[in-house]
Amino acid sequence: VMNVITIEDYKSTYWPKLDSAIDQLLTQSPGDYIPISYEQIYSCVYKCVCQQHSEQMYSDLIKKITNHLERVSKELQASPPDLYIERFNIALGQYMGALQSIVPLFIYMNKFYIETKLNRDLKDDLIKLFTEHVAEKHIYNLMPLLLEAQSTPFQITPSTMANIVKGLYTLRPEWVQMAPALFSKFIPNILPPAVESELQEYAAQDQKLQRELIQNGFTRGDQSRKRAGEELTYS
C-alpha cells in the first residue's frame, strides 16, 4: 500500500526533486551527461499522479518552464545582432533537446491527467510555451537577420539556417508567409511549382519584402533595427 502523500509532502519533498531535475534538463548543453536518477524522478511523478496531485504538478511544471523561457527571451533580447541568430539557434536546440527527456519523465501525468482531463498532450503544450514566450517575441528581429544572412555567404552555417527555419516552421507553419523563398529552401513543397514567367515575380516579391523591412526600421545591423523590433514585439 502506498503511503499517503499530502499536499504538504508534495510541496516539501516531491516537487523540489522534480524542480531540480527539470532545471538541469533545461540548462544542459547538448551531449552533457546529467547525474539525474531518471528512475527516481519517474517514480516520483507516478506516486504524485496516483495520489491525485496531477493538477498541482502540471501547474507547477508549466509555471517553472514559462519562467525559464522568459529568462531565455530576455537574454536573447540583449544579444548583439551578429550573435543573435546563433543564440536563437542554441536556445531552440537546447529546449527541444530538454523536451526529449522531460516529456517521458511525466508520461503518467500526460496519460492520466493531460490527455484524459484536458484533452491535450504535454509535448504540444510545452512546444506552444516556446512559441509564445520566445519565438513570437523574436520573429520580427530574427526574420530580417535570416534574410540578410541568406544573401551573405558564410555569415552563418547552412546547418544553423536549416535548424532555425525548420524549427520555426514546426512552431508555426504560417510564418512561411513572412519569407516563402527562404522557407522553401529547407521545407519541401511549400511553394507551388515555379513557372518560368513567375520567377521574376518571385524575385520582385523578395526585394519588396526586403524594402518593407528596411522601411520598418530594420537597417543592416543598426540599433534602430533592434528598437523597431522591440516596438513590434511589444506593440
Side-chain angles (χ1 to χ4, degrees):
V1 178
M2 200 183 284
N3 292 333
V4 173
I5 299 172
T6 65
I7 188 68
E8 283 71 29
D9 295 334
Y10 165 80
K11 285 180 172 170
S12 64
T13 305
Y14 288 84
W15 176 251
K17 279 183 195 166
L18 296 173
D19 186 283
S20 148
I22 295 160
D23 247 350
Q24 287 184 278
L25 291 168
L26 286 171
T27 54
Q28 72 176 332
S29 298
D32 274 5
Y33 170 73
I34 292 196
I36 285 177
S37 163
Y38 283 87
E39 203 177 336
Q40 190 188 25
I41 299 303
Y42 195 73
S43 143
C44 206
V45 170
Y46 174 72
K47 287 174 186 167
C48 291
V49 169
C50 292
Q51 300 266 326
Q52 313 296 313
H53 296 300
S54 293
E55 189 177 348
Q56 182 66 50
M57 188 162 52
Y58 176 69
S59 162
D60 288 338
L61 177 65
I62 294 296
K63 193 154 75 182
K64 167 91 187 158
I65 291 185
T66 298
N67 289 339
H68 167 76
L69 290 174
E70 284 174 350
R71 278 197 303 278
V72 167
S73 183
K74 285 202 176 91
E75 283 165 18
L76 275 174
Q77 241 152 19
S79 292
D82 56 329
L83 299 176
Y84 193 89
I85 293 177
E86 198 51 65
R87 285 184 183 172
F88 185 90
N89 185 44
I90 289 166
L92 177 66
Q94 191 176 39
Y95 185 71
M96 292 305 182
L99 292 196
Q100 287 176 356
S101 298
I102 292 170
V103 172
L105 286 176
F106 285 89
I107 193 164
Y108 281 107
M109 181 180 75
N110 193 37
K111 199 171 172 56
F112 295 105
Y113 175 68
I114 303 173
E115 285 181 1
T116 52
K117 297 266 172 71
L118 306 179
N119 295 316
R120 291 208 307 268
D121 174 76
L122 180 59
K123 189 178 181 187
D124 293 345
D125 282 1
L126 298 184
I127 288 175
K128 197 172 165 211
L129 286 182
F130 188 90
T131 308
E132 288 172 359
H133 295 282
V134 182
E136 275 181 4
K137 292 184 177 175
H138 291 274
I139 190 77
Y140 293 106
N141 274 346
L142 187 62
M143 200 53 82
L145 289 173
L146 289 174
L147 288 168
E148 189 181 311
Q150 183 203 1
S151 59
T152 315
F154 313 116
Q155 191 170 328
I156 59 168
T157 64
S159 63
T160 295
M161 182 70 91
N163 286 344
I164 293 181
V165 171
K166 288 175 181 173
L168 292 173
Y169 182 70
T170 304
L171 297 177
R172 183 152 296 169
E174 59 267 33
W175 280 338
V176 164
Q177 290 155 12
M178 293 178 77
L182 174 64
F183 278 86
S184 69
K185 290 192 168 145
F186 303 98
I187 318 281
N189 306 323
I190 274 191
L191 295 177
V195 182
E196 203 172 329
S197 61
E198 289 173 351
L199 289 175
Q200 281 180 309
E201 196 185 324
Y202 282 136
Q205 281 173 350
D206 207 31
Q207 287 170 339
K208 181 168 175 274
L209 177 67
Q210 299 257 14
R211 280 198 305 275
E212 283 169 2
L213 289 168
I214 288 166
Q215 281 161 8
N216 281 318
F218 295 114
T219 50
R220 287 171 172 257
D222 187 344
Q223 281 307 303
S224 64
R225 176 203 59 77
K226 200 155 186 292
R227 281 200 297 278
E230 281 163 8
E231 280 159 21
L232 270 170
T233 302
Y234 295 110
S235 56

